[in-house]
Amino acid sequence: QIELMEILHVVHGDTVQERLFSLNGAPREVIRNSESVTCIMPEVGRVSVDYRPENRGVSLIGLIDPKQLADRYQFSMMGSARIAGRAAKVVAIIPRDEYRYGYRLYLDEASGLPLKSDLMDEQGTPLEQIMFTSLEVSPTIPSQDSGAASNKRLPEVGQKSYDGHVEKRRWSFQALPMGFALTTYTHLSSKEGGKSAEHLVLSDGLASVSIFVEVGESEPRLDGASKMGAINAWGSLINGYQVTAVGEVPAVTVREVVQAMVLSDVVDIKDD
């Protein structure tokens, strides 16, 4: 499956804005910033807005530090390549165990931007590839290009608004796959009176796993494994809660993450 996207990425100080517009298939547009994600679907007449909890940035993973990741990944240079008409250096990131995928990055020699990235499975076969066919780097972006190109008057549906706080959490882990640690915990309470939820993010410094916890029903909505492309998920009922782990990691990772979760007394996350 191939999807063509036009991507606009703008940085002003600490503020990051992104606009993604689909060039094939049904028209779709996604506008992201530090506060919200807006999805515009003109063909079906919908605009969906999901507000991000406070103090949540666009990216969950920071800069890659090879020294800090050395016990989890092996880094090696694989020569040069040419992507989108630009010279690039190729870096291989090879996992040292079964709990994470590998990566092959093609970095623009002029700017350091990734021109292409390959996500590799346990056998070294590409699961997912992202590649620029053209790239323009400019110190400024015309203001008319930084907003939505689609009809802004479409009705909003599926609008979500949450109060998020990170002071307390009720979940701990007996044992996690080596290198993974809790980086984000958010309790989501719906302002519209719906069910609350908890969102936890684990990271090994490169790969990440999102965990969603909601009050469960008598039967689990997801029990066991689910897979879509490079994304694996594992769901289970734990003490009456539906727990679902999702990430671009091998199936064994999300399974062991869920199986390691323990519901405990409320603890101060700052003490961990």
Side-chain angles (χ1 to χ4, degrees), residues 8-19 31-36 52 57-59:
L8 182 71
H9 184 89
V10 183
V11 179
H12 294 292
D14 295 332
T15 302
V16 177
Q17 293 178 301
E18 293 178 321
R19 173 180 172 268
I31 299 172
R32 301 191 296 186
N33 56 37
S34 59
E35 298 179 353
S36 64
R52 295 173 177 268
V58 172
S59 177

Side-chain angles (χ1 to χ4, degrees), residues 107-122:
L107 307 178
D108 183 27
E109 289 189 6
S111 65
L113 291 172
L115 301 177
K116 180 183 177 184
S117 65
D118 300 336
L119 184 67
M120 321 291 287
D121 68 9
E122 298 89 334

Side-chain angles (χ1 to χ4, degrees), residues 247-268:
E248 284 192 338
V249 292
V252 63
T253 307
V254 288
R255 184 190 72 209
E256 292 197 10
V257 162
V258 172
Q259 293 176 345
M261 293 187 67
V262 177
L263 180 63
S264 57
D265 294 333
V266 176
V267 297
D268 191 336

